[in-house]
């Protein structure tokens, strides 16, 4: 039994397969076809819906990609779709702004854009820019100008709440809905609330897929057509959802979604926060987690070189015990990690940078927004008396795993800008890495850019007045 | 009907403003934002509907030795399987020339070619099932790119030449001579709605097909051929497409044919919707080109002659490639008088998916080579590229193209002058130079490039259209025409035309889905010609109806035709004035036919392929864009900072719709030239097969400063509808200014005396290699103690 609210109306559904996506649920089971499938991989935003969750006595709404979210994640939540905004023939102001501004042409992406703008306006337009809110919504017709103009207009208005927002019972009903969904012997979707029940679930179902945001696993289902009969959802495990600003560190639960992490990073690690604004899209950042990025262990996972450069410490949770590990010991090979069977990442501890430490993070991709890195460089070092010291260099996209480059760092260690021999740096990079030539970049480009990102870091440190960024941020 | 509807007193169906030239909203805008606009996959499914997936070739070129489909057949949910031999009628569904089997017949010619089709009770079951096939191949040699095709004389069609004068002599005599080459990448359409159709069996052995296609008539004809039934047994409906861009001109038909065969066999409605992953691999794309030029010119940069070779990759079959490469040839001059000229176009056959129509239809690829030549001449002579471009524009006395068409309306000289001022080109040129002198790492580039784009299908018989208009007895109007709505605003534009004829509010006009049983024998909605053709056909239908109403009024009320005036929802009948609907009711009672068809055929056009000369285009649409970019010389990353566009749409039917086409076309063109990279591996597999690795522009790529204006007071010199001009494709090529600006930024590294080639898409990687080449060339110049500017 799956229980949730849909556009203000309670819904109970039987016979929901654990790996049914929210988009399939809407289009095939609820026959609500306003929400579209553009790619079924979380890249285009045509399927954007808004999901509300009881949090601290109110409903917090976020825009997500319904195509790669599992239906079970809706349990106890309020799903809002494009059909839920208008009041009869009277359009919601977000919809009307797009009509007035000629913001739709073919219309296929439009409802996704409506939902992204609706959520953006609902949560306060000062939280992120219209551009950030829309970076995960591809439009092939308009060139975006009329959509941005509509957003500019909406930013000046107070958000309008649809009719369902006044429903007094909805929050209480949502809060009362049980957490474990579709429980069964052979297949099911479980969403434990604490570590004890998580451990019990994992012992029950040693063959289950453990999932946080499903921004990667969802594609296994929609693209690789895998069947995922048993899913354990980490998103409500309290211990994994905590953020602690400790003495000298920030500790992040593995299931904390990026958008929740972002303000903490802005305070403590602004360059990491700037990178995060280019990781996936708003819809992805509302679901994706550091734990997921680590567990997937992709060589092009955006956050991983940063964790390496910052010397993050991981806490791994096993069936019976926890253990700590520096992130640099975590990646064993292509998508292979030090996690043992039944073990998950529980927390990530990021030590604060000492005052003299500089951290630089650079992502290079074909497209600025919502693209996967060709090369990602994350560097930390001290700059004292004109020399680089304690240099720690991490790269993504250069090897089978995100990786530190101590030999390259040695070429900078203790040197001033003038003393750096760039031919030796390049030779050291070439000796350290044999990157791939693939759809994103050639090996030669990766090597060249890796060296040039170091040049950029040096110039920015030594000659801060030299312009080096084509964008103001990240 | 015994009794007519009661008309409310004073029911004036008046337009609130002049209907033509008005920013009327897209007729589906409300439904788009409400999520209530129906696309194929949104149509409620009938009980028992089946879903299709195809088993695809894993080989670029191979004999199929054997197929074991037992596991496919046994998969739960599978109802039917068809192979090439199960097609009851004709297997080949090539749109112009043969070469496209509906399902591969013994031989496969690209990775992703459909070999067999499965109908199952769910799409998931069908997709899972096709993966269970075991197919044995005997690989054959595969030709995978243009160079290999040229080396192997592998072509889908013979080459075509356009020759004027003696180009060899002109090149020999010219004071200066330059040559160059470029590789221009292809492009995935990435319409947000993937290919989709539903075929429902009819009671007479045919099918009813609802499809997302730009060309319902061709779908109808091909489905009839594969079923082996008369065309009239197949009817096709297209309500709207979620984007098309040329990608649904021929590419929708194979799905409809497969679904139709399965629908006839199973007796069920059959839906074939391609998931994105299949769509990107199985359907054709924009042709990539390998182009070469050799030009002779004088000290002012004026061309004396141009020798241009264009090689387009057509893929495994002809599809529309003959016309695509022709159009590339017709646009190898872009806006410039080539003088003595030879343009040769090769149609290369490769074992890759068959490339097809895509906004611009070869025109953009042809223009790229002459725009590269313009920049190269400017660097060579040390001139501003804008001055070289302006010096070569067609103008009176230099007004005949290399294919013999006389340019009769000279729009560009004045248009460019106007844009040069409004974009502040000269001042910004100085600012860019100053910025570049002051910044060692970041470099700016600036470029202003023109577009001249020929309007008409180069296949003459396609230049016709039909419309059907019914007036009902409450005054409301049902409009149907052969054009399809893919987001471009065709329906609202044509309804504005109809509203203008009768002077009523367009809200009283309903444009219905395009249907082959309402208007037959239509052309694809393509070549930017939708409003020109269908607007005129609807206009002609309305004029027939209007004439009947005038004749009726004159006869009934004893008036002269000049005394019958349609105005603001009312009709003046001499001294009397009635509501529009009142006149309609009176005409109905007077037994006047209130339904009419209209037809239109574009005049004047002809082209003789044997001589390579003619007047293939009714007229030209023009525009120019000025783009400024910022380039990071350490990574090759860049950003488009500002774009100014001035575009010629004649007298606009709907300025808001036209501006939407210009902005959208520009951004799509920018994507083609910058981030959209198609990558194949050595076995002919498409690696850029999803939006995760094929990057169309996203919102942040829109220039922060984006100024678009329509050229005022330049009505079309030809008698098009309202003297408007086509707008769908021409703005796409305005994006060449972005590529040229990137080259300008790179050229700053050599003191603007040399720019290395920059193939497209100009990804950060290609820009970085151009930067490196420029720095290397500058270093060599310094080492050799050559004069460095």
């Amino acid at each position: 039994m799956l229980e949730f609210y849909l556009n203000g109306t309670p819904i109970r559904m039987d016979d929901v397969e654990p790996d049914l996506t929210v988009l399939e649920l809407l289009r095939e089971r609820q026959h609500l076809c306003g929400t579209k499938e553009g790619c079924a991989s979380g890249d285009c935003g045509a399927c954007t819906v808004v999901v509300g969750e009881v949090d601290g006595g109110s409903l917090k709404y976020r825009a997500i990609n319904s195509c790669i979210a599992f239906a079970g994640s809706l349990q106890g939540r309020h799903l809002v779709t494009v059909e839920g905004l208008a009041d009869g023939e009277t359009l919601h102001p977000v919809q009307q702004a797009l009509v007035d501004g000629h913001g739709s042409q073919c219309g296929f992406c439009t409802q996704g854009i409506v939902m992204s703008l609706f959520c953006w306006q609902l949560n306060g337009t000062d939280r992120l820019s219209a551009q950030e809110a829309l970076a995960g919504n591809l439009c092939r017709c308009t060139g975006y100008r009329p959509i941005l103009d509509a957003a500019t207009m909406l930013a000046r208005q107070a958000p309008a709440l649809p009719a369902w927002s006044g429903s007094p019972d909805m929050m209480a009903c949502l809060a009362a809905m049980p957490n474990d969904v579709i429980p069964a012997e052979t297949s099911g979707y479980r969403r434990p609330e604490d570590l004890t029940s998580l451990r019990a679930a994992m012992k029950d179902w040693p063959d289950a897929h453990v999932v946080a945001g499903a921004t990667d696993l969802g594609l296994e289902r929609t693209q690789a057509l895998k069947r995922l009969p048993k899913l354990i959802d980490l998103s409500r495990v309290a211990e994994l959802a905590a953020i602690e600003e400790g003495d000298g560190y920030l500790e992040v639960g593995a299931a904390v979604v990026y958008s929740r992490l972002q303000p903490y990073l802005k305070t403590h690690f602004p360059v990491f926060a700037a990178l995060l604004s280019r990781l996936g899209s708003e819809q992805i950042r509302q679901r994706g987690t550091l734990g997921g990025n680590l567990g997937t262990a992709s060589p092009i996972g955006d956050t991983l070189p940063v964790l390496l450069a910052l010397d993050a410490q991981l806490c791994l949770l096993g069936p019976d015990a926890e253990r700590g590990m520096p992130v640099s010991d975590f990646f064993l090979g292509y998508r292979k990690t030090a996690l043992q069977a039944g073990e998950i990442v529980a927390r990530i501890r990021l030590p604060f940078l000492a005052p003299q430490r500089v951290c630089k993070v650079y992502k290079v991709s074909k497209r600025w927004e919502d693209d996967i890195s060709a090369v990602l460089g994350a560097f930390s070092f001290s700059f004292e008396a004109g020399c680089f010291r304690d240099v720690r260099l991490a790269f993504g996209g250069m090897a089978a795993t995100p990786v530190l480059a101590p030999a390259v760092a040695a070429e900078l260690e203790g040197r001033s800008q003038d003393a750096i021999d760039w031919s030796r740096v390049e030779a050291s990079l070439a000796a350290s890495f044999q990157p791939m030539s693939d759809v994103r970049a050639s090996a030669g480009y990766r090597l060249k850019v890796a060296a040039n990102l170091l040049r950029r870091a040096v110039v920015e440190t030594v000659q801060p007045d030299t312009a080096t960024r084509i964008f103001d941020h990240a | 009907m015994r009794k007519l509807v009661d008309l409310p007193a004073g029911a004036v169906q008046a337009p609130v403003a002049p209907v033509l030239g008005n920013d009327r909203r897209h007729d589906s805008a409300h439904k788009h934002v409400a999520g209530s606009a129906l696309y194929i996959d949104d149509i409620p499914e009938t009980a028992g509907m089946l879903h299709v997936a195809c088993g695809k070739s894993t080989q670029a070129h191979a004999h199929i030795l054997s197929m074991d489909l037992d596991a496919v057949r046994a998969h739960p949910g599978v109802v039917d399987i068809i192979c090439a031999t199960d097609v009851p009628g004709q297997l080949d569904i090539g749109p112009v020339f043969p070469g496209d089997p509906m399902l591969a017949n013994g031989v496969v010619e690209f990775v992703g070619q459909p070999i067999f089709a499965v109908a199952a009770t769910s799409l998931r079951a069908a997709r899972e099932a096709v993966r269970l096939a075991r197919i044995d191949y005997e690989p054959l040699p595969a030709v995978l790119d243009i160079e290999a095709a040229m080396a192997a004389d592998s072509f889908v069609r013979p080459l075509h030449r356009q020759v004027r004068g003696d180009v060899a002599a002109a090149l020999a005599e010219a004071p200066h001579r330059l040559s160059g080459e470029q590789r221009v990448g292809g492009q995935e359409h990435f319409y947000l709605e993937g290919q989709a159709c539903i075929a429902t069996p009819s009671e007479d052995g045919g099918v009813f097909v609802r499809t997302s296609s730009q060309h319902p008539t061709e779908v109808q004809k091909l489905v009839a051929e594969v079923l082996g039934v008369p065309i009239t047994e197949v009817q096709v409906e297209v309500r709207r497409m979620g984007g098309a861009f040329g990608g649904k001109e021929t590419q929708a038909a194979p799905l409809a044919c497969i679904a139709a065969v399965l629908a006839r066999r199973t007796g069920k409605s059959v839906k074939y919707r391609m998931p994105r992953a299949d769509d990107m691999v199985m359907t054709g794309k924009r042709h990539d080109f390998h182009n070469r030029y050799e030009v002779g010119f004088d000290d002012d940069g004026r061309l004396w002659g141009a020798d241009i070779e264009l090689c387009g990759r057509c893929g495994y079959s002809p599809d529309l490639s003959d016309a695509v490469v022709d159009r590339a040839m017709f646009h190898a001059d872009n806006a410039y008088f080539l003088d003595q000229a030879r343009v040769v176009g090769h149609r290369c056959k490769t074992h890759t998916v068959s490339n097809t129509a895509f906004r611009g239809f070869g025109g953009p690829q042809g223009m790229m080579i002459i725009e590269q030549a313009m920049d190269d001449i400017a660097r060579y002579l040390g001139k501003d590229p804008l001055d070289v471009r302006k010096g070569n524009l067609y103008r009176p006395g230099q007004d005949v193209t290399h294919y013999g068409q006389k340019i009769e309306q000279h729009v560009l000289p004045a248009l460019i002058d106007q844009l040069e001022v409004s974009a502040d080109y000269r001042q910004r040129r100085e600012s860019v130079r100053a910025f570049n002198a002051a910044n060692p790492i970041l470099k700016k580039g600036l470029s202003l490039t023109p577009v001249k784009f020929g309007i008409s299908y180069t296949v003459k018989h396609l230049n016709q259209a039909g419309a059907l208009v019914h007036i009902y007895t409450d005054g409301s109007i049902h409009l149907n025409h052969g054009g399809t709505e893919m987001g471009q605003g065709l329906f609202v534009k044509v309804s504005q035309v109809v509203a203008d004829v009768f002077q009523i509010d367009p809200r009283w006009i309903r444009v219905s889905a395009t249907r082959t049983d309402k208007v037959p024998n239509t052309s694809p909605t393509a070549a930017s010609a939708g409003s020109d053709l269908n607007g005129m056909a609807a206009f002609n239908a309305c004029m027939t109806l209007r004439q009947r109403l005038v004749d009726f009024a004159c006869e009934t009320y004893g008036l002269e035709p000049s005394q019958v005036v349609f105005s603001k929802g009312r009709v003046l009948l001499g001294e009397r004035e009635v509501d529009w609907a009142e006149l309609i009711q009176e005409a109905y009672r007077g037994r006047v036919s209130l339904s009419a068809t209209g037809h239109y055929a574009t005049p004047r056009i002809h082209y003789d392929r044997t001589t390579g000369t003619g007047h293939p285009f009714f007229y030209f649409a023009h525009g120019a864009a000025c783009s400024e970019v910022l380039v990071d010389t350490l990574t090759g990353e860049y950003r488009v900072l500002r774009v100014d566009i001035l575009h010629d749409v004649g007298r606009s039917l709907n300025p808001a719709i036209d501006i939407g086409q210009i902005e959208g076309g520009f951004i799509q063109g920018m994507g083609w030239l910058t981030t959209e990279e198609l990558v194949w591996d050595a076995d002919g597999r498409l690696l850029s097969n999803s939006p995760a690795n094929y990057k169309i522009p996203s919102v942040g790529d829109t220039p922060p400063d984006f100024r678009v204006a329509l050229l005022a007071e330049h009505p079309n010199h030809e008698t098009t509808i309202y003297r408007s001009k086509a707008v769908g494709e021409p703005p796409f090529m305005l994006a060449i200014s972005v590529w040229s600006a990137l080259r300008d930024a790179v050229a700053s590294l050599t003191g603007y005396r040399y720019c290395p080639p920059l193939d497209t898409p100009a990804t950060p990687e290609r820009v970085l290699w151009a930067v490196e080449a420029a720095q290397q060339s500058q270093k060599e110049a310094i080492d050799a103690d050559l004069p460095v500017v």
Side-chain angles (χ1 to χ4, degrees), chain B residues 611-687:
Chain B
T611 60
T613 59
H615 190 97
F617 303 116
F618 189 31
Y619 64 90
F620 294 92
H622 308 90
C626 179
S627 293
E628 182 176 335
V629 300
L630 179 63
V631 173
D632 179 350
T633 59
L634 287 178
T635 60
E637 295 165 291
Y638 50 82
R639 186 182 184 197
V640 180
L641 298 174
R642 174 176 164 183
V643 174
D644 294 63
I645 290 173
L646 186 58
H647 198 79
D648 159 36
V649 295
R651 255 171 91 196
S652 176
L653 286 165
N654 184 324
I657 296 282
D658 285 348
I659 284 178
Q661 288 296 298
I662 294 165
E663 291 172 338
F666 176 85
I667 297 295
Q668 199 174 72
M670 187 180 82
W672 168 54
L673 293 170
T674 57
T675 57
E676 294 184 36
E677 187 174 25
L678 293 168
V679 183
W680 280 266
D681 72 8
D683 298 322
R685 257 178 221 97
L686 183 69
L687 299 177

Side-chain angles (χ1 to χ4, degrees), chain B residues 398-689:
Chain B
Q398 296 188 357
D399 50 7
V400 179
T401 65
H402 58 285
Y403 49 88
Q405 176 159 358
K406 187 165 193 270
I407 307 292
E408 293 164 345
Q409 188 185 27
H410 292 281
V411 174
L412 276 172
L415 186 150
I416 289 175
D417 284 349
Q418 194 179 324
L419 182 65
E420 186 181 330
V421 172
S422 64
D424 200 15
Y425 178 85
R426 301 290 168 181
Q427 182 60 43
R428 285 168 65 205
R429 168 61 64 199
E430 291 312 308
S431 306
V432 163
R433 279 180 178 264
F435 178 93
N436 290 341
N439 283 277
I441 291 176
L442 302 185
K443 300 291 176 186
K444 284 186 174 179
L446 182 70
S447 180
L448 193 161
T449 61
V451 169
K452 168 187 126 288
F453 193 76
I455 303 301
S456 293
Y457 297 94
T458 56
V459 176
K460 184 175 174 179
H461 71 259
L462 294 177
N463 294 285
Q464 59 174 318
L468 175 65
V469 178
H470 306 318
I471 308 175
Y472 296 103
T473 54
D474 60 355
S476 64
I477 291 178
H478 180 95
L479 165 63
N480 193 281
H481 53 70
T484 53
E485 177 63 45
M486 60 197 92
Q488 82 278 44
L490 174 65
F491 281 17
V492 68
K493 279 185 169 180
V494 180
S495 70
Q496 284 174 280
V497 169
V498 172
D500 184 65
V501 172
F502 299 120
Q503 285 295 303
I504 61 167
D505 192 295
R507 279 179 302 179
W508 285 84
I509 299 160
R510 170 64 57 214
V511 188
S512 78
T514 312
R515 287 183 63 117
T516 49
D517 52 4
K518 283 190 175 172
V519 176
N521 310 327
T522 56
S523 294
T525 309
S528 308
S531 311
D532 279 12
L533 295 175
N534 297 291
M536 215 43 136
F539 177 81
N540 288 339
C542 291
M543 290 310 284
T544 299
L545 289 166
R546 190 179 186 281
Q547 190 60 45
R548 285 183 202 157
L549 293 171
V550 170
D551 290 348
F552 165 74
C554 290
E555 197 174 307
T556 310
Y557 310 116
L559 302 170
E560 291 299 313
S562 63
Q563 293 175 284
V564 182
V565 179
F566 296 80
S567 172
K568 296 181 181 170
R570 295 175 71 79
V571 187
L572 301 178
L573 303 166
E575 301 296 304
R576 195 173 148 232
E577 187 181 320
V578 297
D579 276 355
W580 155 254
E582 277 181 71
L583 175 70
I584 294 304
Q585 292 201 343
E586 289 183 30
Y588 169 74
R589 289 195 190 92
R591 296 188 293 171
V592 174
S593 164
L594 295 173
S595 173
T597 60
H599 186 258
Y600 174 71
T602 312
R604 291 196 67 191
I605 47 179
H606 58 88
Y607 183 69
D608 181 351
R609 280 185 73 84
T610 56
T611 60
T613 59
H615 190 97
F617 303 116
F618 189 31
Y619 64 90
F620 294 92
H622 308 90
C626 179
S627 293
E628 182 176 335
V629 300
L630 179 63
V631 173
D632 179 350
T633 59
L634 287 178
T635 60
E637 295 165 291
Y638 50 82
R639 186 182 184 197
V640 180
L641 298 174
R642 174 176 164 183
V643 174
D644 294 63
I645 290 173
L646 186 58
H647 198 79
D648 159 36
V649 295
R651 255 171 91 196
S652 176
L653 286 165
N654 184 324
I657 296 282
D658 285 348
I659 284 178
Q661 288 296 298
I662 294 165
E663 291 172 338
F666 176 85
I667 297 295
Q668 199 174 72
M670 187 180 82
W672 168 54
L673 293 170
T674 57
T675 57
E676 294 184 36
E677 187 174 25
L678 293 168
V679 183
W680 280 266
D681 72 8
D683 298 322
R685 257 178 221 97
L686 183 69
L687 299 177
S688 49
N689 57 359

Side-chain angles (χ1 to χ4, degrees), chain B residues 210-286:
Chain B
R210 285 168 291 189
T211 174
S212 179
S213 164
Q214 292 170 253
H215 199 352
T217 286
E218 192 166 87
V219 170
Q220 178 192 31
K221 176 247 185 192
L222 291 171
V223 167
E225 284 182 331
V226 297
L227 294 182
V229 299
I231 288 177
T232 191
E233 301 302 344
V234 177
Q235 296 303 340
V236 177
E237 175 180 299
V238 178
R239 172 58 190 91
R240 62 168 61 77
M241 286 165 270
F245 316 112
K248 295 174 181 173
E249 187 171 344
T250 63
Q251 304 295 294
L255 287 86
C257 292
I258 289 168
V261 171
L262 287 163
R264 285 291 354 147
R265 285 166 60 96
T266 60
K268 298 281 184 6
S269 278
V270 174
K271 185 194 290 191
Y272 188 177
R273 173 178 74 81
M274 272 186 187
R276 182 67 56 186
D278 282 347
D279 197 316
M280 290 186 77
V281 169
M282 295 174 74
T283 66
K285 308 174 194 316
R286 181 185 296 283

Side-chain angles (χ1 to χ4, degrees), chain A residues 19 27 36 38 95 100 104-106 140-141 143-145 227 366-367 369-370 442 445 452 456, chain B residues 25 32-33 39 42 124 128 188-189 276 632 634-635 663 676-677 695-698 700 702 765:
Chain A
D19 59 358
R27 294 182 59 86
K36 310 300 183 198
Q95 295 169 314
D100 292 343
S104 72
Q105 286 186 22
C106 86
R140 193 55 152 164
C141 297
Y144 303 101
R145 193 275 311 159
R227 290 192 179 256
K366 277 184 204 169
R367 190 174 70 192
E369 294 167 326
D370 196 1
S442 70
Y445 179 73
N452 282 0
R456 186 197 275 173
Chain B
R25 289 166 189 156
H32 291 156
V33 299
Y39 302 80
D42 304 334
R124 190 171 178 174
E128 286 169 347
E188 159 65 35
H189 299 85
R276 182 67 56 186
D632 179 350
L634 287 178
T635 60
E663 291 172 338
E676 294 184 36
E677 187 174 25
K695 308 310 281 188
I696 71 167
S698 62
T702 296
E765 172 161 357

Side-chain angles (χ1 to χ4, degrees), chain A residues 108-233:
Chain A
F108 202 82
C109 71
T110 306
Q111 66 290 321
I113 284 166
V114 166
M115 296 315 289
S116 283
L117 285 174
F118 165 73
C119 196
W120 174 66
Q121 198 195 33
L122 191 66
N123 289 330
T125 52
D126 49 352
R127 195 178 65 84
L128 73 172
S129 69
Q131 188 185 312
E132 285 171 311
L134 290 168
N137 288 91
L138 296 178
C139 170
R140 193 55 152 164
C141 297
T142 64
Y144 303 101
R145 193 275 311 159
I147 297 165
L148 285 167
D149 282 0
T152 304
M153 207 171 78
L154 292 167
R156 296 193 209 108
Q157 302 173 357
L161 294 168
W164 43 255
S165 66
S167 159
D169 301 335
M170 183 163 66
M171 216 157 59
C173 290
L174 287 171
M177 288 174 181
N179 238 318
D180 254 15
V181 264
I182 337 173
E185 288 290 310
T186 54
S187 83
Y189 190 99
R190 287 186 171 177
R191 199 171 64 188
E193 291 225 32
D194 55 37
L195 279 187
T196 310
S197 46
L198 170 62
R199 280 180 162 140
M202 289 177 71
K203 274 183 184 157
D204 263 12
W205 281 358
D207 53 344
H209 286 85
V210 176
V211 59
T215 58
D216 201 64
L217 190 64
L219 276 74
E220 295 288 309
R221 161 68 178 79
T222 64
Q223 303 300 311
L225 304 186
K226 279 195 186 151
R227 290 192 179 256
L228 307 169
K230 292 177 187 168
L231 292 170
I232 299 173
D233 180 336

